[in-house]
């Protein structure tokens, strides 16, 4: 293999640039030519492809977002779109592709695999909802961003004796809410993977007030419902002076944490090793603190990400 390509797809995540840097520099170190594809699968089909040198990825490891940009491209779900993408890869002589992204990006890589084209998936999403890995690139930075906001909101909540519903991103997964909730000392964590009873939430808030508690922090995963809807339903059980804070896309941005930079660097270098060994149709991940690779078709079709619900139980025991 002499030429490989890399693209980032779907929602951006802090650490994607570190992964790009690792793929490019490891590839060049091993004597490969590395090509960057702008705007994900949309850029692939359009032929928006350029050769990358060492200098092109200098001073990007600390930057959030992705220097290769990203775009949604539903057309790549069709066989026609996939074959157009492969045609462009062949046109540029690119023999293997590294795809950095989340669930939709992985499905694109899986489609290429089914067409016999060597592709390696790297999990890059703040949602931490990809099977085959304990942690995704961007997750650690995202929960620390949420935590900073939670700490600030706590000051206001205490000063005014209020209940705050803090809605966080995560799509259909509750990992961001779960981890930032435990770390932030949330009174309640509401996630899609665990049922909740609004009456019990209200009872818990009232119990805390009777003990003299000055605030209540509820971390709500967006996959359950919106923060305003939650506050409205809670109001049926009493006036808890509730305010809503929706953190939104601010959680995606910012300089990646040390953990995300190291994780991305490991994943990127390993992806190059796999392609050089003639392997494709794989996704890399971190399991039990070891970098691993697994069949991407089997991983997506037969596995499902599961959050660490022991953290949910832990929070119930220490936050009341």
């Amino acid at each position: 293999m002499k030429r490989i390509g890399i693209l980032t797809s779907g929602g951006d995540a802090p650490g994607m640039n570190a992964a790009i840097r690792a793929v490019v520099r490891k590839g060049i170190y091993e004597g490969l030519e590395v090509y960057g594809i702008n705007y994900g699968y949309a850029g692939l089909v359009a032929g928006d492809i350029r050769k990358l040198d060492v200098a092109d990825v200098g001073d990007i490891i600390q930057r959030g977002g992705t220097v290769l940009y990203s775009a949604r491209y539903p057309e790549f779900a069709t066989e026609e779109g996939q074959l157009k993408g492969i045609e462009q890869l062949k046109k540029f002589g690119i023999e293997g592709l590294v795809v950095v992204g989340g669930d939709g990006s992985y499905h694109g890589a899986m489609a290429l695999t089914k067409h016999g084209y060597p592709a390696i998936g790297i999990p890059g999403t703040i949602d931490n909802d990809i099977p085959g890995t304990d942690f995704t690139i961007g997750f650690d930075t995202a929960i620390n961003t949420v935590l900073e906001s939670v700490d600030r909101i706590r000051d206001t909540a205490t000063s005014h004796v209020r209940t705050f519903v803090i809605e966080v991103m995560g799509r259909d997964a509750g990992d961001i809410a779960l981890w930032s909730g435990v770390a932030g000392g949330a009174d309640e964590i509401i996630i899609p993977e665990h049922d909740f009873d609004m009456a019990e939430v209200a009872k818990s808030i009232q119990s805390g007030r009777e003990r003299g508690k000055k605030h209540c922090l509820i971390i709500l995963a967006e996959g359950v419902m919106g923060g305003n809807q939650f506050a409205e339903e809670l109001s049926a059980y009493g006036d808890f002076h509730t305010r809503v804070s929706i953190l939104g896309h601010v959680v995606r941005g910012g300089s990646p944490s040390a953990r995300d930079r190291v994780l991305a660097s490991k994943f990127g270098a390993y992806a190059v090793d796999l392609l050089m060994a003639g392997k494709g149709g794989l996704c890399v991940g971190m399991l039990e603190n070891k970098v691993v690779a697994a069949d991407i078709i089997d991983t997506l079709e037969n596995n499902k990400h599961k959050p660490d619900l022991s953290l949910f139980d832990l929070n119930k025991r220490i936050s009341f």
Side-chain angles (χ1 to χ4, degrees):
M1 191 167 289
K2 299 296 182 182
R3 292 182 180 181
I4 63 173
I6 179 170
L7 63 80
T8 54
S9 177
D12 63 299
M16 279 186 165
N17 284 327
I20 294 168
R21 173 181 179 270
V23 169
V24 172
R25 293 199 168 178
K26 179 62 161 43
I28 292 173
Y29 178 82
E30 298 291 353
L32 302 176
E33 291 183 0
V34 184
Y35 285 74
I37 301 163
N38 292 323
Y39 299 105
Y41 292 114
L44 173 59
V45 172
D48 191 352
I49 301 171
R50 58 193 170 96
K51 184 180 178 182
L52 297 174
D53 294 318
V54 172
D56 292 319
V57 293
D59 295 325
I60 68 169
I61 194 170
Q62 79 284 4
R63 291 170 57 183
T66 164
V67 296
L68 290 178
Y69 312 106
S70 186
R72 306 290 183 183
Y73 191 66
E75 291 86 345
F76 204 76
T78 67
E79 185 175 15
E80 181 183 2
Q82 296 155 14
L83 293 177
K84 285 182 179 179
I86 292 174
E87 183 180 331
Q88 290 287 2
L89 290 167
K90 290 180 177 179
K91 176 182 175 181
F92 282 85
I94 298 171
E95 303 163 276
L97 181 66
V98 178
V99 175
V100 186
D103 182 71
S105 307
Y106 264 40
H107 277 85
M110 182 176 71
L112 293 175
T113 296
K114 290 182 176 180
H115 287 297
Y117 188 87
I120 303 291
I122 291 180
T125 168
I126 65 169
D127 303 329
N128 204 47
D129 61 350
I130 302 298
T133 186
D134 291 332
F135 299 106
T136 59
I137 298 169
F139 174 66
D140 185 70
T141 306
I143 58 177
N144 278 287
T145 300
V146 171
L147 183 60
E148 182 179 351
S149 296
V150 169
D151 289 345
R152 292 173 184 270
I153 289 171
R154 179 190 294 274
D155 294 340
T156 294
T158 301
S159 297
H160 295 273
V161 194
R162 282 179 177 159
T163 296
F164 262 85
V165 178
I166 305 171
E167 179 191 325
V168 299
M169 297 184 80
R171 291 211 318 163
D172 297 323
D175 287 60
I176 293 178
L178 190 57
W179 282 72
S180 60
V182 172
D187 299 276
E188 297 285 342
I189 301 174
I190 313 297
I191 58 175
E193 298 89 350
H194 199 288
D195 293 334
F196 79 98
D197 185 331
M198 191 66 82
E200 288 298 318
V201 172
K203 182 179 178 181
S204 176
I205 297 172
Q206 186 60 41
S207 177
R209 287 193 170 184
E210 290 172 357
R211 298 196 316 269
K213 199 166 187 177
K214 299 299 183 183
H215 66 261
C216 178
L217 299 179
I218 300 171
I219 309 297
L220 171 69
E222 65 177 356
V224 177
M225 66 176 74
N228 290 314
Q229 180 185 347
F230 187 93
E232 183 177 348
E233 293 186 13
L234 178 63
S235 67
Y237 295 87
D239 183 5
F240 300 110
H241 305 287
T242 304
R243 297 292 184 273
V244 178
S245 183
I246 301 173
L247 300 187
H249 286 76
V250 68
V251 178
R252 274 194 188 170
S255 182
S257 66
R259 182 177 178 84
D260 275 331
R261 297 184 200 190
V262 172
L263 191 67
S265 298
K266 286 184 174 182
F267 285 171
Y270 189 45
V272 173
D273 286 336
L274 292 171
L275 287 176
M276 289 186 63
K279 297 179 180 179
L282 301 172
C283 53
V284 301
M286 180 71 72
L287 294 176
E288 298 181 355
N289 209 33
K290 294 181 179 179
V291 179
V292 299
D295 182 273
I296 194 168
I297 297 175
D298 178 65
T299 299
L300 287 177
E301 293 184 348
N302 299 315
N303 293 280
K304 184 179 180 181
H305 169 74
K306 297 179 181 178
D308 182 1
L309 291 181
S310 68
L311 291 176
F312 187 90
D313 295 332
L314 171 65
N315 200 66
K316 282 291 184 183
R317 289 172 171 81
I318 62 177
S319 291
F320 56 85

